[in-house]
Amino acid sequence: KAGVTQTPRYLIKTRGQQVTLSCSPISGHRSVSWYQQTPGQGLQFLFEYFSETQRNKGNFPGRFSGRQFSNSRSEMNVSTLELGDSALYLCASSSGRKPNTEAFFGQGTRLTVV
Amino acid sequence: AQSVTQLDSQVPVFEEAPVELRCNYSSSVSVYLFWYVQYPNQGLQLLLKYLSGSTLVESINGFEAEFNKSQTSFHLRKPSVHISDTAEYFCAVGTMLIQGAQKLVFGQGTRLTINP
């Protein structure tokens, strides 16, 4: 069974640009969550999608958005990039239904904003 | 709101020595508890989890953690560590939101360094 796949693995962008990150969940999983990991703030929850609907959102500005497609693949978009957006972005997939609450993480996309 | 505190940011130990990584949480609702491990330039891998039932949970590579509701703790232990255990360890609290949605709140992580 293939794991969670995130693309690209590494990305360098300039301030003010926008970026789109992709996440393919484990087959059969319908929930995809996104997290931002930085040395200063640690791991922070961005949002979660289930069956193409955003079910929960963290405390991030509106520049951070996401979507989920009918095949459960998800994309995360960050517009007007700032230096502080440099981070490892992790995607996690799960069945999204009780009682199975285990989240499986991808290897992440390392975003560097210069 | 939930929060997680990992009391040690770094733990150095010698190979074959025992180790304990401490984790305390706060929550006003029932929670699920997890330990994840992260190796350099990798994502997070689930080490073990507590959902319900027995308060002592074990992983396949010798780690164990005990859920202590009265002390709101979920400390991770291993009786004898190996060089390969060098990694960053994250404790997380999960709460079931609407219809199975889950939000994980992570601690700041503990960097475990094993010295030969």
Side-chain angles (χ1 to χ4, degrees):
Chain A
K1 201 176 192 180
V4 179
T5 303
Q6 290 189 247
T7 56
R9 287 292 310 278
Y10 301 92
L11 208 49
I12 300 175
K13 290 286 188 179
T14 304
R15 270 183 304 174
Q17 286 187 312
Q18 75 164 13
V19 67
T20 299
L21 313 181
S22 179
C23 172
S24 293
I26 291 171
S27 177
H29 283 186
R30 296 169 65 186
S31 169
V32 174
S33 300
W34 289 89
Y35 292 83
Q36 181 196 64
Q37 184 179 23
T38 60
Q41 300 297 315
L43 281 151
Q44 294 186 290
F45 174 78
L46 280 154
F47 30 65
E48 188 247 0
Y49 286 86
F50 180 84
S51 293
E52 303 178 65
T53 300
Q54 187 182 86
R55 291 199 297 190
N56 195 33
K57 189 176 187 303
N59 296 323
F60 278 82
R63 299 185 298 107
F64 292 82
S65 63
R67 60 176 175 169
Q68 187 179 34
F69 301 94
S70 59
N71 62 358
S72 294
R73 188 178 71 86
S74 177
E75 288 183 347
M76 190 191 91
N77 184 275
V78 188
S79 62
T80 319
L81 284 165
E82 301 176 0
L83 295 179
D85 297 332
S86 294
L88 180 67
Y89 289 88
L90 293 165
C91 161
S93 83
S94 69
S95 68
R97 294 195 182 279
K98 296 180 180 182
N100 186 339
T101 61
E102 183 171 344
F104 296 85
F105 283 80
Q107 292 194 316
T109 294
R110 171 83 55 191
L111 171 65
T112 302
V113 182
V114 297
Chain B
Q2 292 75 40
S3 67
V4 178
T5 302
Q6 290 184 244
L7 297 160
D8 306 296
S9 59
Q10 296 186 64
V11 173
V13 295
F14 287 106
E15 194 172 16
E16 299 183 8
V19 70
E20 178 180 80
L21 306 184
R22 296 179 292 169
C23 172
N24 286 91
Y25 70 92
S26 68
S27 176
S28 57
V29 298
S30 297
V31 297
Y32 305 103
L33 294 160
F34 306 86
W35 275 99
Y36 283 88
V37 59
Q38 186 176 37
Y39 300 101
N41 298 315
Q42 298 291 318
L44 300 173
Q45 297 176 31
L46 181 67
L47 196 56
L48 44 75
K49 61 186 177 184
Y50 171 78
L51 303 181
S52 64
S54 173
T55 57
L56 183 65
V57 290
E58 299 176 351
S59 73
I60 57 173
N61 56 357
F63 282 96
E64 65 177 32
E66 185 159 19
F67 170 56
N68 188 318
K69 189 175 182 179
S70 62
Q71 297 187 7
T72 59
S73 68
F74 191 55
H75 301 331
L76 180 70
R77 302 183 183 94
K78 189 170 184 179
S80 176
V81 295
H82 301 284
I83 292 285
S84 59
D85 293 324
T86 296
E88 189 145 20
Y89 293 79
F90 293 91
C91 180
V93 166
T95 53
M96 294 301 293
L97 304 171
I98 55 169
Q99 295 181 341
Q102 181 190 153
K103 171 184 173 179
L104 291 175
V105 176
F106 287 89
Q108 286 293 94
T110 297
R111 187 172 301 277
L112 177 62
T113 305
I114 312 299
N115 300 307

